[in-house]
Amino acid sequence: MSTDVTEVRYCKICSLKSTHPGVVIAGDGVCNLCKLDVAGEMLAAYRYTSATYDEFLKAPPHPEAEFDCMLMYSGGKDSTFMLDKFVNTYRKRVLAYTFDVPFESVHAARNIDLAREKIAATFMLDRADDDIRRVMRAVFNRPQPDAPGKYLDEKLPCVSCRTFFVIRAIIKAYQEKIPYILICADPQQILTMESNVRQVVRSFCSVFGVSFATDLLGEVVEEILFAEQERLPKIVFPFIDLRHSYDPDTIVADLKAKGLYQSSPMETHCTLFPLLNYYSFRHFDCMFYKLNAASHQRAVRRNGAGARATFSIKFPDSLRLAEVEDRMKDAILALAAGEGDPAAHQKTLEGVFNDLGVDGEGARFVAGNFLNMRSLAQDLGVVLE
Ligand SMILES: [Zn+2]
């Protein structure tokens, strides 16, 4: 926790703290993310990702395979946009794979219904409530992680949930001999995501252990760890094609015009959001969306008002990030400990979410979920320290 850190410094451009996983602030007060110290690495990743994307576009239909690709389909704007594009523009035979995450709001279901009516893909709905709850229990109840941690360590619960169902999709694609898996990560997320399926499986095993992984996902996990490269599906990140022009508003407008989308302020809302924030504050002294908000601040400082971050979540240009984060932290840690007046915490958090750009009703709803944090934890089997 921050109490034993002598001096926490803030990047003067993006407000990331010197204690943030993977962040180093130089003598001039600017962090490594703002200086793009990782530029070389990023370029190499982009090159591989672009080449794989081109290969996928040109690949002729395999005469014996039923599908040209599997698309990870959440019902959100990004994956709906790409599903429409590959079915209707590129005429690919797509298996749209949806994992029913039990922690997510039902708003996406409406968009999935619209897509089913209007897009000629094959839709598959997968679920594994008990198994995903086991994964979340394991990650939240891990002992205190090593500080300062690596880049994205504060998002381990979220990353673990996604990795779990991506592996279920990989197994399905592997067994059905589907050559490509499309993941509709936004351009910023692409940089931080693993593009090799064997590495995806390996990283899950290194966090949770091979026996836990095979117990959850079957012996096929070990088969994939040792399979020949040509037998494994390749991961494609289609938003690599829009990395210079990615614009969430244009995507939403395009989908609405086609009757494929109904937006909701809570569309990507995860009911574990309070616990995700608890985890990131408790272990890494930052709010869950800190990197996203910092990316926005960076864009505003560089390009002025109206600038776009490379993440798909938007924040107000005038956001005073460090100050908002402090208020949020106090309320969340008090709620986790069962201390203070719940109504006062609710009011504080509503103000926090207003400042983060969530409107009145949405802010009330999200803040209200934080008041149930202790019963949420108990229900999942998570111990709040
Ligand atoms: Zn910075």
Side-chain angles (χ1 to χ4, degrees):
M1 296 240 356
S2 62
T3 42
D4 53 270
V5 175
T6 46
E7 186 206 4
V8 178
R9 298 164 65 220
Y10 290 82
C11 171
K12 65 186 184 188
I13 293 177
C14 73
S15 307
L16 282 170
K17 292 180 192 175
S18 51
T19 52
H20 196 101
V23 167
V24 179
I25 298 179
D28 60 0
V30 178
C31 81
N32 54 329
L33 297 187
C34 285
K35 288 184 170 172
L36 285 176
D37 278 356
V38 285
E41 209 177 300
M42 278 165 45
L43 211 63
Y46 270 148
R47 217 172 282 135
Y48 172 82
T49 305
S50 295
T52 311
Y53 179 73
D54 291 341
E55 176 195 307
F56 163 67
L57 280 191
K58 289 177 193 144
H62 193 291
E64 286 149 39
E66 194 182 350
F67 300 105
D68 300 316
C69 64
M70 171 188 272
L71 184 142
M72 302 296 293
Y73 181 53
S74 70
K77 62 183 181 318
D78 291 345
S79 60
T80 305
F81 179 81
M82 285 298 174
L83 180 62
D84 173 56
K85 176 170 162 170
F86 290 111
V87 172
N88 291 323
T89 306
Y90 290 94
R91 303 287 164 193
K92 295 282 188 184
R93 299 170 302 167
V94 182
L95 175 63
Y97 172 96
T98 303
F99 184 81
D100 186 358
V101 180
F103 319 119
E104 276 178 3
S105 67
V106 295
H107 291 278
R110 181 81 195 100
N111 292 324
I112 294 174
D113 288 342
L114 291 173
R116 275 176 183 270
E117 281 168 29
K118 299 189 177 190
I119 300 178
T122 300
F123 290 83
M124 174 191 170
L125 184 65
D126 185 19
R127 65 185 304 164
D129 290 9
D130 291 345
D131 289 343
I132 191 104
R133 289 166 67 88
R134 265 183 79 190
V135 172
M136 299 320 286
R137 202 155 42 240
V139 65
F140 278 117
N141 288 337
R142 271 156 54 100
Q144 172 86 30
D146 295 336
K150 298 192 301 292
Y151 185 64
L152 283 184
D153 271 2
E154 80 280 14
K155 293 204 175 184
L156 187 66
C158 192
V159 169
S160 301
C161 173
R162 187 178 61 205
T163 305
F164 171 76
F165 67 77
V166 167
I167 294 175
R168 285 180 69 97
I170 288 171
I171 290 169
K172 173 81 179 164
Y174 173 75
Q175 289 170 335
E176 304 282 321
K177 298 188 166 56
I178 301 173
Y180 296 96
I181 300 172
L182 274 53
I183 299 182
C184 302
D186 68 39
Q188 178 71 32
Q189 290 169 335
I190 291 172
L191 291 172
T192 62
M193 287 176 71
E194 181 52 56
S195 54
N196 179 298
V197 299
R198 198 197 315 279
Q199 288 301 340
V200 174
V201 174
R202 199 175 275 164
S203 73
F204 189 84
C205 290
S206 76
V207 173
F208 297 102
V210 176
S211 66
F212 184 80
T214 49
D215 190 37
L216 273 176
L217 295 149
E219 299 293 329
V220 66
V221 163
E222 292 198 39
E223 208 179 309
I224 289 173
L225 283 176
F226 298 104
E228 287 182 32
Q229 198 63 48
E230 305 82 73
R231 257 300 275 123
L232 296 175
K234 284 187 181 174
I235 293 177
V236 174
F237 294 111
F239 277 103
I240 191 74
D241 198 35
L242 296 180
R243 68 186 177 282
H244 300 303
S245 57
Y246 178 78
D247 179 1
D249 296 336
T250 311
I251 287 172
V252 168
D254 176 86
L255 293 174
K256 282 187 172 167
K258 291 175 175 164
L260 280 171
Y261 195 73
Q262 289 180 350
S263 54
S264 150
M266 268 78 84
E267 80 184 21
T268 55
H269 185 72
C270 173
T271 56
L272 298 187
F273 187 57
L275 291 177
L276 298 176
N277 278 285
Y278 171 77
Y279 184 89
S280 55
F281 275 122
R282 174 75 183 79
H283 296 307
F284 297 106
D285 196 27
C286 62
M287 68 174 195
F288 178 72
Y289 281 128
K290 184 67 180 286
L291 281 176
N292 309 55
S295 165
H296 185 82
Q297 296 225 311
R298 197 173 296 133
V300 170
R301 298 285 178 95
R302 283 206 178 127
N303 306 320
R308 278 194 192 293
T310 44
F311 282 104
S312 61
I313 303 166
K314 292 167 71 174
F315 294 91
D317 287 354
S318 59
L319 176 63
R320 290 163 59 210
L321 182 54
E323 183 267 323
V324 168
E325 186 181 38
D326 281 346
R327 271 191 284 145
M328 192 174 178
K329 175 184 173 179
D330 290 345
I332 288 173
L333 294 185
L335 279 166
E339 291 165 0
D341 173 19
H345 293 318
Q346 160 100 23
K347 200 157 181 285
T348 302
L349 289 171
E350 272 185 48
V352 163
F353 292 115
N354 286 155
D355 290 347
L356 289 170
V358 184
D359 72 7
E361 195 199 339
R364 257 193 304 284
F365 177 79
V366 179
N369 283 340
F370 278 82
L371 295 200
N372 300 325
M373 185 158 55
R374 286 166 66 87
S375 57
L376 180 68
Q378 198 174 20
D379 179 49
L380 195 61
V382 169
V383 182
L384 300 179
E385 290 161 52

